[in-house]
Amino acid sequence: QVQLVESGGGLVQPGGSLRLSCVASGFTFSAYAMRWYRQAPGKERDVVAIIYTNRRTYYADSVKGRFTISRDNAKNTVYLQMNSLMPEDTAVYYCNPALSGGYWGQGTQVTVSS
């Protein structure tokens, strides 16, 4: 079965950096685009970044220039490097493969606060 395990979240001061990881299993990782979403309290879950199988990337305007998505197909892992973090980046972050069925992990909490 599809499993997604996110990690790397934590508490960081504004301007700081974090690197999130998501290890995937149960499907052919290299054959699918991978997405990072985030959900802040009381808000909808929104897409943050996407990396396609050809490594082309997409970023939400709110994170463009600050976040970088990457993937390691040999490790079945997708990463999200987050720099210049702001309080409005506070959310639970989830990875999600472009598979039908809506698969989600438990998420990892990112809190940006002084």
Side-chain angles (χ1 to χ4, degrees), residues 6 9 28-29 34 37 60-61 63 68 75 83 92 98 106:
E6 300 97 339
T28 304
F29 180 82
M34 291 296 296
Y37 283 76
D61 286 345
V63 306
T68 303
K75 295 182 179 179
N83 299 329
V92 179
Q106 83 288 348

Side-chain angles (χ1 to χ4, degrees), residues 33-37 47-52 55-60 69:
M34 291 296 296
R35 305 177 280 212
W36 281 100
Y37 283 76
V47 66
V48 173
I50 306 171
I51 185 164
Y52 298 90
R55 300 185 186 272
R56 183 170 60 90
T57 57
Y58 161 86
Y59 296 96
I69 188 171

Side-chain angles (χ1 to χ4, degrees), residues 15-54:
S17 298
L18 285 173
R19 188 193 193 203
L20 307 185
S21 299
C22 168
V23 179
S25 60
F27 64 101
T28 304
F29 180 82
S30 60
Y32 293 92
M34 291 296 296
R35 305 177 280 212
W36 281 100
Y37 283 76
R38 67 184 179 187
Q39 187 167 22
K43 295 189 176 181
E44 293 186 352
R45 191 172 296 186
D46 292 326
V47 66
V48 173
I50 306 171
I51 185 164
Y52 298 90
T53 56
N54 61 4

Side-chain angles (χ1 to χ4, degrees), residues 4 6 14 16 24 38 57 80 82 95 100-101:
L4 303 158
E6 300 97 339
R38 67 184 179 187
T57 57
L80 187 67
M82 307 187 296
C95 69
S100 60

